[in-house]
Amino acid sequence: MNIPPKAIHYAIHGLLARHRVEQGFSFPLKQLMAEWPETALRRGDLIKGLEGLRKSGHLTIDQTPEGPMVRLINEDFGLVVTALDRDAVTTLTRLRELRRRPQSHVAALVPDQKHARRPGESGPKPSD
């Protein structure tokens, strides 16, 4: 699936917004990379997205004693205004649905059990 850069930018913005990173504030690149798999995008997409946002002046990557930090300069790249923006959000949502890991086969076959004791096993009795 061809992922438009705008969809990648929305994924980056989503992670920063979740941590309430506002203009002028920084976020550890290491933590951004650790949370990136939640977006269902590839690591290479993160690199391309950060580079594009850096070139467009929306963020910088600063070297600090704590490690590289992503500093948000202008968060306009996260606004959904045009039809193109809405298409990018739709693409990102569709991609997440496609790449979502299905529930394992065995887990789907076994019904949810409230109690993990076998009949006749000793131990505290569940209260119903």
Side-chain angles (χ1 to χ4, degrees):
M1 173 180 251
N2 187 16
I3 304 163
K6 190 74 170 172
I8 298 168
H9 296 170
Y10 283 129
I12 293 170
H13 186 269
L15 288 176
L16 294 174
R18 187 171 73 192
H19 289 283
R20 298 185 177 160
V21 178
E22 297 176 1
Q23 281 183 216
F25 291 92
S26 297
F27 190 73
L29 178 60
K30 187 174 184 175
Q31 188 173 348
L32 185 66
M33 291 173 70
E35 294 182 20
W36 187 250
E38 297 172 19
T39 67
L41 296 173
R42 298 174 303 241
R43 187 175 182 154
D45 294 330
L46 173 61
I47 295 165
K48 288 178 190 174
L50 289 173
E51 184 61 21
L53 290 170
R54 187 190 63 76
K55 285 181 179 178
S56 65
H58 286 83
L59 56 82
T60 63
I61 299 177
D62 302 322
Q63 295 298 328
T64 69
E66 295 85 29
M69 301 289 278
V70 175
R71 185 164 41 97
L72 187 58
I73 296 172
N74 181 346
E75 61 184 327
D76 289 347
F77 69 94
L79 298 176
V80 180
V81 180
T82 67
L84 187 62
D85 296 340
R86 287 186 288 281
D87 289 344
V89 171
T90 301
T91 299
L92 184 59
T93 303
R94 191 175 316 128
L95 178 71
R96 286 179 179 157
E97 290 172 1
L98 288 172
R99 292 186 178 172
R100 186 175 39 202
R101 292 184 181 179
Q103 188 178 20
S104 71
H105 177 67
V106 174
L109 295 176
V110 178
D112 271 348
Q113 302 267 334
K114 286 186 178 181
H115 313 290
R117 299 213 178 270
R118 288 177 251 168
E121 223 175 16
S122 63
K125 301 290 182 203
S127 57
D128 290 317

